[in-house]
């Protein structure tokens, strides 16, 4: 069975890209100039979604673990960092050019027969030999553009953690095992950027590096695999769209003893979402060698035993998680819904709905007055004021109520609160659920508590 047949979801990359633009999740960077390849801008709904995904990860990693500390290291680092990490030598893609049509290809992404025959997959022209192309963005710091002033935009966030590991032990009195978590931007000069925000030159990572005693590394490796899998389950992601991929001998990075990726079944097929890697003592060993600093851990509870810790890394793409959550939440369905606030649509109506977990939804509750007049708008505005300190809210008073529900469905808003004439009489409002489209009457005074309960007990129904 092909990957696309296997996919079975209703999202396509075209639909996701178009919805993302239409509703203000993601725009192409510098669009008025024809766009900048490999760069994307997050619009009003997109930044909220990205922040919520980052927030969920940060909470999971730091607040729920008392031995994991946070860090926000600079993007610009001492250039020796990248020699120690092997990126100067080894952060490369194999590249071939077509001499005829001038197209560039990653040698590992074109069919083997084209590579061996040196034949362009596009035009049949002759291909060059494979060359190493370094993926790091290089610039100069200070006024002189010479070799002494070379600086790189970091190609990964992990190194900022390694160089701070001793600072964090000392400032936070950390004892092994412990972790350091960081969310931040990284940059790679990707030759082939495609699939919307999946592979981009500027991206964000969510990385947690866990420092352990050698010999306990395999146990911790398995534990982190377990925890990272459970995390996606907690977010309500379709679990049959996730799988493990163990790196074969030929795929293992030079530093890795063992590596598994969590892959997600995107519309374009299975792709890496997150990596869990046993990086051994490679990183700290290399930084000790290149910096001349002692990177050993001193185990004061164990006769001052000294060793260079092993590192278990969990490395997820934040921007890639945004794409995953958009694809995972995307649904289209036929609707015919009725409620106290009026009929929403007829049997031949369709809706597009993003079934975000309420913890991730950019807007938690939209407050909608059935009519602008007769004091309904004022009451709705008051309700919004009551809720906005605790919840992300939206207010919309224009258009038919059914169309307003559709707009909120498409933004992934889990709850709509509709103020109607009955609200004026008995102080109740309609609470409408995105997934089931059911409506219930709730006393206005109970809204905040009710929302909290609904979020806590949320179960994805499709
Ligand atoms: Zn060609």
């Amino acid at each position: 069975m092909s990957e696309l047949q296997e996919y079975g979801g209703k999202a396509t990359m075209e639909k996701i890209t178009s919805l993302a633009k239409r509703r203000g999740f993601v725009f192409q960077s510098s669009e008025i100039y024809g766009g900048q390849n490999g760069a994307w801008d997050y619009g009003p709904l997109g930044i909220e979604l990205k922040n919520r995904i980052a927030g969920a990860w940060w909470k999971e990693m730091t607040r729920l673990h008392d031995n994991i500390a946070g860090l926000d290291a600079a993007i610009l680092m001492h250039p020796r960092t990248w020699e120690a990490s092997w990126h100067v030598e080894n952060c490369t893609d194999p590249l071939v050019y077509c001499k005829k049509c001038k197209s560039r290809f990653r040698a590992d992404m074109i069919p083997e027969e084209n590579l061996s025959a040196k034949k362009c997959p596009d035009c049949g022209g002759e291909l060059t030999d494979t060359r190493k192309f370094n993926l790091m963005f290089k610039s100069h710091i200070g006024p002189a553009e010479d070799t002494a002033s070379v600086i790189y935009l970091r190609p990964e966030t992990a190194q900022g953690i390694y160089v701070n590991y001793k600072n964090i032990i000392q400032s936070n009195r950390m004892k092994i095992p412990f972790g350091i978590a960081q969310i931040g931007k990284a940059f790679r000069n990707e030759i082939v950027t495609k699939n919307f925000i999946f592979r981009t030159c500027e991206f964000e990572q969510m990385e947690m590096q866990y420092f352990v005693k050698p010999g306990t590394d395999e146990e911790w490796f398995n534990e982190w695999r377990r925890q990272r899998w459970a995390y996606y389950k907690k977010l309500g992601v379709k679990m049959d769209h996730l799988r493990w991929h163990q790196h074969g001998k030929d795929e293992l990075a030079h530093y890795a003893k063992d590596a598994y990726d969590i892959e997600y079944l995107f519309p374009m097929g299975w792709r890496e979402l997150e990596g869990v890697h046993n990086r051994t003592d490679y990183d700290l060993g290399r930084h000790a060698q290149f910096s001349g600093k002692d990177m050993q851990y001193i185990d004061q509870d164990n006769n001052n035993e000294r060793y260079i810790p092993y590192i278990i890394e969990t490395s997820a793409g934040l921007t890639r998680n945004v794409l995953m959550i958009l694809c995972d939440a995307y649904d289209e369905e036929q609707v015919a819904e009725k409620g106290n606030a009026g009929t929403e649509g007829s049997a031949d109506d369709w809706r597009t709905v993003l079934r975000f977990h309420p913890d991730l939804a950019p807007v938690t509750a939209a407050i909608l007055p059935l009519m602008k007049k007769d004091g309904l708008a004022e009451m709705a505005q008051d309700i919004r004021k009551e809720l906005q300190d605790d919840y992300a809210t939206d207010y919309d008073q224009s258009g038919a109520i059914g169309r307003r529900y559709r707009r909120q469905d498409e933004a992934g808003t889990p709850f709509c609160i509709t103020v109607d004439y009955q609200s004026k009489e008995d102080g109740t409002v309609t609470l409408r659920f995105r997934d089931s489209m059911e409506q219930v009457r709730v006393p206005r005074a109970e809204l905040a508590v009710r929302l909290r309960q609904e979020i806590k007990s949320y179960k994805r129904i499709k």
Side-chain angles (χ1 to χ4, degrees):
M1 192 157 58
S2 82
E3 284 182 344
L4 287 178
Q5 282 170 318
E6 196 181 349
Y7 173 65
K10 290 178 183 149
T12 64
M13 289 310 286
E14 290 71 26
K15 285 178 185 171
I16 294 290
T17 311
S18 140
L19 172 67
K21 181 178 177 187
R22 189 170 73 248
R23 297 309 313 273
F25 283 96
V26 182
F27 308 118
Q28 195 178 16
S29 164
S30 330
E31 195 181 1
I32 61 166
Y33 291 104
Q36 175 56 50
N37 224 2
W40 297 88
D41 298 340
Y42 288 78
L45 289 180
I47 176 61
E48 294 294 340
L49 176 63
K50 182 152 73 75
N51 282 347
R52 299 245 198 295
I53 294 171
W57 184 90
W58 192 254
K59 176 183 170 188
E60 174 76 17
M61 287 307 198
T62 65
R63 214 197 299 173
L64 302 184
H65 289 90
D66 54 17
N67 66 341
I68 299 181
L71 176 74
D72 182 22
I75 287 168
L76 301 179
M77 297 182 71
H78 194 287
R80 288 281 277 170
T81 309
W82 308 112
E83 293 172 37
S85 70
W86 233 31
H87 281 86
V88 171
E89 228 175 303
N90 216 39
C91 182
T92 58
D93 271 346
L95 188 63
V96 290
Y97 288 92
C98 171
K99 289 179 183 170
K100 193 169 157 202
C101 74
K102 310 289 178 209
S103 295
R104 280 170 295 177
F105 305 96
R106 263 177 63 174
D108 56 343
M109 287 173 114
I110 61 173
E112 183 55 42
E113 55 267 28
N114 289 82
L115 205 57
S116 53
K118 289 198 171 181
K119 197 169 161 210
C120 173
D122 284 358
C123 78
E126 191 193 343
L127 292 179
T128 62
D129 289 336
T130 305
R131 283 168 219 170
K132 273 187 172 183
F133 171 74
N134 197 292
L135 298 182
M136 282 197 295
F137 279 101
K138 199 183 202 178
S139 188
H140 294 274
I141 194 158
E145 290 196 11
D146 55 25
T147 51
S149 69
V150 165
I151 196 145
Y152 299 99
L153 295 183
R154 66 180 177 198
E156 63 176 27
T157 54
Q159 302 300 328
I161 294 180
Y162 304 147
V163 300
N164 277 296
Y165 124 94
K166 284 238 145 168
N167 284 337
I168 288 177
I169 288 179
Q170 279 147 19
S171 63
N172 282 47
R173 296 179 298 159
M174 297 306 242
K175 286 187 172 167
I176 275 181
F178 74 93
I180 303 174
Q182 170 166 240
I183 298 175
K185 289 212 169 186
F187 303 83
R188 284 181 203 173
N189 195 358
E190 297 281 357
I191 305 155
V192 181
T193 57
K194 62 175 184 181
N195 290 321
F196 190 33
I197 54 174
F198 181 80
R199 186 181 301 283
T200 53
C201 293
E202 177 176 346
F203 55 100
E204 280 174 81
Q205 294 184 306
M206 306 185 285
E207 294 198 316
M208 193 285 296
Q209 310 287 330
Y210 204 71
F211 299 82
V212 306
K213 188 173 179 177
T216 65
D217 52 301
E218 288 177 22
E219 195 183 312
W220 280 114
F221 181 70
N222 291 332
E223 171 58 18
W224 279 109
R225 280 186 57 202
R226 188 191 66 73
Q227 289 205 27
R228 294 309 301 154
W229 188 261
Y231 169 77
Y232 288 107
K233 194 169 182 180
K234 198 154 85 176
L235 288 187
V237 174
K238 293 173 183 158
M239 294 311 281
D240 58 349
H241 278 223
L242 289 175
R243 73 177 185 192
W244 285 106
H245 166 72
Q246 184 178 18
H247 288 210
K249 290 253 180 301
D250 52 328
E251 289 169 278
L252 272 183
H254 56 278
Y255 51 75
K257 177 172 161 186
D258 201 359
Y260 278 81
D261 291 336
I262 297 178
E263 293 185 336
Y264 181 80
L265 185 55
F266 287 95
M268 68 278 189
W270 290 98
R271 295 287 188 283
E272 180 192 347
L273 183 65
E274 167 158 356
V276 182
H277 302 153
N278 182 344
R279 300 184 63 125
T280 71
D281 57 0
Y282 177 83
D283 304 284
L284 293 178
R286 290 280 287 189
H287 284 302
Q289 190 189 329
F290 278 72
S291 68
K293 298 286 190 299
D294 183 4
M295 291 299 214
Q296 290 181 105
Y297 174 75
I298 302 165
D299 188 351
Q300 288 165 334
D301 299 335
N302 213 345
N303 299 321
N304 290 332
E305 189 192 347
R306 287 164 178 265
Y307 55 86
I308 294 205
Y310 268 41
I311 292 171
I312 308 302
E313 165 183 78
T314 72
S315 173
L318 169 54
T319 34
R320 213 167 258 197
N321 259 266
V322 172
L323 180 61
M324 181 275 281
I325 292 293
L326 279 171
C327 294
D328 200 72
Y330 187 92
D331 197 12
E332 292 166 356
E333 68 177 3
Q334 205 166 16
V335 287
E337 110 186 280
K338 290 190 176 73
N340 297 335
T343 303
E344 266 201 39
S346 59
D348 47 342
D349 273 354
W350 285 76
R351 69 168 183 164
T352 298
V353 54
L354 293 176
R355 301 186 189 278
F356 294 135
H357 190 288
D359 285 339
L360 301 183
V363 175
T364 310
I367 297 98
L368 317 169
L370 189 62
M371 300 286 183
K372 275 180 257 185
K373 56 186 186 188
D374 301 328
L376 299 185
E378 288 77 6
M379 189 188 282
Q381 289 281 16
D382 284 348
I383 291 174
R384 185 185 193 186
K385 286 198 191 86
E386 287 163 17
L387 294 176
Q388 67 187 1
D389 203 38
D390 295 319
Y391 301 99
T393 59
D394 189 14
Y395 175 85
D396 184 6
Q397 62 175 27
S398 51
I401 190 72
R403 293 194 55 171
R404 281 183 270 164
Y405 286 149
R406 290 292 162 277
R407 279 184 60 77
Q408 295 299 333
D409 290 342
E410 221 182 30
T413 306
F415 310 107
C416 286
I417 294 159
T418 308
V419 177
D420 57 17
Y421 289 101
Q422 194 185 330
S423 309
K424 284 179 70 179
E425 283 163 28
D426 64 7
T428 65
V429 294
T430 297
L431 179 62
R432 183 257 191 194
F433 299 93
R434 174 198 66 201
D435 290 355
S436 63
M437 296 189 289
E438 280 171 16
Q439 303 187 2
V440 293
R441 301 274 330 169
V442 177
R444 176 181 166 177
E446 289 169 20
L447 270 174
V449 172
R450 180 67 185 266
L451 286 179
R452 180 72 57 221
Q453 288 165 349
E454 295 292 343
I455 293 169
K456 276 262 178 212
S457 63
Y458 177 78
K459 287 268 181 311
R460 184 169 176 156
I461 56 168
K462 307 176 88 162

